[in-house]
Every structure is written in C-alpha cells, then in structure tokens.
Amino acid sequence: GNGSPTRMRFLSLCARHGPSLFAHISRSMAAHKAGVVAAAAFGATVCSYSDCLRVELDSATAKTLLTALNTADNPLLNAPALFPRFADIRAEHVQPAMCTRLAEATQSLEALERDVEAILVRGETPSYLFLADSVERLGELVSGPWGAVGHLKMVKDSDALRAAADAVEPEVVAFSSKMSGSVALHKGWCALKADKAAWGALSQAQRRTADLEILSGELAGVGLVGEQKARFEEIQKELAALSTAFSNAVLDATKAFAKVLTAPDDVAGLPASARAMMAASARSRDIKGDGGDEANADAGPWVATLDGPCLLAVLTYADDAALRETVYKAYITRASELSGDDNGPRIKRILQLRKEKAALLGRASHAEVSLATKMATLEEADALLEDLRAKSIGPARKEHADLEAFAGRPLSLWDVNYYAEKLKEVKYSYDAEAVRQYLPLDGVLNGLFGVVSRQYLPLD
C-alpha cells in the first residue's frame, strides 16, 4: 500500500541516495527479472526525487529493491576493503546487516557443501585453493561486520548497541557452529590429505593450514551425532552467552566507576596530558567547577576512571597514595562479589561447561582442547611456565627489594608503578612526558609508513 512501512522506507532511502544507487540496485537484482525492469524504470524516473512517488512496485520487487538500498545504506555491509566505517555504524544497522549476511552466508555454505559432495561423489579430490579460498571468503561474510560490532561494543558501548548485538548473537553462534562443524567440508579436507599426489604438491604452510582445518572440525564436534551433537551445540551457545555476559559485566563495572577530584593536591604529580584527559571525562559527565566553569586541565574538576589510559596514569604518576589505592582496588574488584554484577557464578558455569565439552570431544580437559591447534602440548606449556618462574623469581624479588629500599618503606601493589617510574627518572634521567612532545601521532605514523615504504616498496 502507498502508506506501508516498506514503501515509506524505500522512498526515504531514494530521497537520500537517488540515482547514484541505480547501478548497485541493478547488480543486486540481476537474477530477478521483475527487479531488473523495475530498476530500469527507477533509474529513468528519478531525475527529480519527486518522481520517486510515481514509481509503482509489486511487493516482491519492492522488497528486493529495499534490500539493495539497505545494503548501500548500511555501513556494516557497504564497507571499504581495508577498515570498517566505524564512525558511521549505529545500533540500528546491526540487526539488518547481520541478518542479511547470515542469510547470504548460510546459502553460500549450503552451496559449497553441495559442490564438495559432488566432487567427492565423482571420485575427485577438492583442490586446496578451492577449499581454502571458499572457507575464507565465506567466513568473512559474517566475521567482517560482526567483528566491527564487537569492537564498537568494547570501545563505545551503549544500551542500544548491546541490545542489538545480543539479539543476533545466537544466530551468529549457530552459523559459526554449523560452518566449523560441517561434515561435507571436513570430508573435503580429509580427502585432500588422503590424496598422496595432491597432498605432496602442497607447501608446508598449506599442509599446516589443512591439518588445522581438519582438527578444527573435530574440535567443533563434526564427529558427534545424535544427543551428543545436540548437547555440544547447546554448550556452544551457552558458553557464547556467558562470555558476552561476563564481558558486559566487566565493561559495566569499568564505566560505573568515576571518582571526582576537585583540589589541585588530588592530582599532584599527574602530567598535563593526564589532567587534560581527566578534565575531559568531567566535561563528558557535565561536572563543572564551583563557579559553574567548564572543567579544564589546570583548574579541574577532574574525574579518575578505570579506563586504561587513566588507570595507568594514576598508578604511575599520582602522588596521592590514597587515590592510587582507591583506583587500584576498584579495578581489580570489577564485576566481583565486592562490586557490581558478580562474575563469580559465570566463571564456575564456564568451567563446568568447558569440562563437559572436553569430555564430549574425548579430551581430558579444556586445556587440551585449547592447545590442540597450537604449537605446544599441555606438558610443554607447563614446563615453559615453570622454567620462566624458576629463572625470573630471584631477579624479581631483588628488583622489588631495591625498589622498596629506594622508596624507604614496604610497598603495596598500587605503589609499585609509581616508585618504579621515580626510580627510572633518577637512574636514567628518563621522563616519558618530556619525550611525548617529540612523538606526535602524525609524526609517528609518517615515520612508520616511511620506513615501510623504503624497506618493502620498490623504487620508481
């Protein structure tokens, strides 16, 4: 109908993007005869945006056009090859993008499985390039936008973004399990390894990749059937949900802490860059000075948070030991029984599920599962850690004793960074803040890419 949500959304997108989308729409609907005709009509009639109102589309064509328009309008779907468009991504983009990519990836996976099965039925061996390229491209369909969403959740979390990600996470986990546990793909990789001629033609790196794909399939439960398979998939979903809840609890606890500082003595020792950062935190919370003045680096007020840069600055430079103690204890007790949403029960449940999952896979422990695809065994990892402990504990104790001698008193955990920085200044005349002025970001980037260009790019 003329007032339907689909039509109104379509017209809204037309008004914003107009004829520039014609080529994209045509490509997106090349297999849809009615869609191609409608796209041609659309391209011919949108010389002025008011002409959009005269385009009459049947339901199927309108939805196809709308999908194409949404793709062009969604930064999670229409992203450059190098980096996601982080600045443009909004919570409302997440579900449409992930639903689109999951549907596309699911269809592509099913088609790939049919192709691999057909090759095997003919008595042939799938080539390494076919398998590796197909798997990588297929995985990127989902991991590309989902990775961008996950990154934004960590650095710019919001209730809307979290809700949008939580809504599609079960489907993302389900697809990941389906792909990693694909019987057809596993059979394809195994057939490649069993073909002596094909296997012999591969490089060492290619063989390692193929071996890891085979092992990853086994660890994804490809050999499980019936109730065991169903239980394995349930464990995977619950572990993913617990991991997200764990991360959210830590993130919430980090965001919840904010200690307002108003006296200059409170921030004594902190460099100008740290005070400016803490004043910016005060402004972002609309915290003003006594006279209603905006917070600034020199006069405050300042807000100490648990964000990494602020945490490190306080523990390293703040002269106020009580402030260092407060910030340190708040940091190490995030999302615990002492503060906020307690992650303790989640940790216990994760350990239980990991043990059950390992047993289903025929492994003695989660450690064995984790190390199966790595270059060390559990015994080798334990031996390495013990070797490091034995060789480092003596020097570490001596360095700590020297630090306490320099401080003139026993040190608490929140004192170590502070006095280590002071000792470094005395022994080596090194001041990190003084060096900072010689390393502006633009200069560092220009230097970095200059070295890379000279080292690796051919001369003209």
Side-chain angles (χ1 to χ4, degrees), residues 75-131:
L76 285 167
L77 296 176
N78 185 19
L82 189 56
F83 296 116
R85 293 163 50 192
F86 286 117
D88 300 326
I89 298 171
R90 302 290 181 267
E92 59 266 25
H93 295 136
V94 175
Q95 286 180 274
M98 295 313 303
C99 289
T100 297
R101 282 295 175 85
L102 285 167
E104 183 181 351
T106 299
Q107 291 178 355
S108 298
L109 176 59
E110 292 171 352
L112 176 60
E113 289 175 327
R114 289 192 297 269
D115 290 343
V116 173
E117 292 283 9
I119 292 172
L120 296 175
V121 167
R122 294 196 301 268
E124 301 173 0
T125 300
S127 72
Y128 172 86
L129 291 179
F130 169 69
L131 289 172

Side-chain angles (χ1 to χ4, degrees), residues 22-269:
F22 172 57
H24 175 80
I25 296 169
S26 299
R27 289 194 303 271
S28 298
M29 303 189 309
H32 193 310
K33 183 177 180 181
V36 172
V37 173
F42 174 79
T45 58
V46 291
C47 295
S48 66
Y49 293 134
S50 61
D51 288 336
C52 294
L53 299 175
R54 296 198 295 272
V55 180
E56 297 298 333
L57 304 174
D58 61 76
S59 176
T61 303
K63 289 181 179 179
T64 306
L65 278 169
L66 183 57
T67 298
L69 285 163
N70 277 331
T71 298
D73 191 49
N74 194 318
L76 285 167
L77 296 176
N78 185 19
L82 189 56
F83 296 116
R85 293 163 50 192
F86 286 117
D88 300 326
I89 298 171
R90 302 290 181 267
E92 59 266 25
H93 295 136
V94 175
Q95 286 180 274
M98 295 313 303
C99 289
T100 297
R101 282 295 175 85
L102 285 167
E104 183 181 351
T106 299
Q107 291 178 355
S108 298
L109 176 59
E110 292 171 352
L112 176 60
E113 289 175 327
R114 289 192 297 269
D115 290 343
V116 173
E117 292 283 9
I119 292 172
L120 296 175
V121 167
R122 294 196 301 268
E124 301 173 0
T125 300
S127 72
Y128 172 86
L129 291 179
F130 169 69
L131 289 172
D133 186 64
S134 298
V135 168
E136 182 173 356
R137 291 178 183 273
L138 187 53
E140 182 61 24
L141 283 175
V142 175
S143 65
W146 188 241
V149 172
H151 175 76
L152 280 179
K153 277 189 62 184
M154 294 302 297
V155 301
K156 197 175 181 182
D157 186 47
S158 69
D159 291 340
L161 181 62
R162 185 178 296 185
D166 289 348
V168 296
E169 184 181 57
E171 285 73 23
V172 174
V173 174
F175 172 78
S176 177
S177 297
K178 182 177 182 180
M179 183 174 173
S180 58
S182 170
V183 174
L185 293 182
H186 186 70
K187 287 161 60 176
W189 286 110
C190 289
L192 175 63
K193 185 169 185 178
D195 187 324
K196 292 184 179 180
W199 189 256
L202 299 182
S203 67
Q204 184 177 357
Q206 289 173 328
R207 291 181 187 178
R208 173 62 176 167
T209 299
D211 280 334
L212 287 176
E213 290 289 345
I214 293 171
L215 183 54
S216 295
E218 295 171 359
L219 297 177
V222 72
L224 301 177
V225 295
E227 293 182 359
Q228 286 189 328
K229 180 70 171 180
R231 178 55 185 155
F232 183 87
E233 292 177 353
E234 290 174 357
I235 290 174
Q236 292 287 78
K237 290 180 181 179
E238 188 175 353
L239 281 173
L242 285 167
S243 176
T244 298
F246 182 98
S247 298
N248 287 343
V250 173
L251 190 57
D252 288 341
T254 301
K255 291 164 57 178
F257 180 88
K259 184 171 179 59
V260 179
L261 307 170
T262 57
D265 287 347
D266 294 338
V267 293

Side-chain angles (χ1 to χ4, degrees), residues 322-364:
L323 175 61
R324 298 198 304 269
E325 179 180 1
T326 298
V327 170
Y328 178 85
K329 288 184 175 179
Y331 183 77
I332 65 170
T333 58
R334 292 173 302 163
S336 70
E337 71 278 11
L338 301 176
S339 170
D341 187 4
D342 186 7
N343 265 333
R346 294 189 187 98
I347 294 173
K348 292 179 181 179
R349 182 59 178 160
I350 288 172
L351 293 175
Q352 292 170 351
L353 291 173
R354 284 179 171 179
K355 182 178 181 180
E356 184 181 356
K357 175 183 172 181
L360 286 172
L361 295 173
R363 306 276 176 166

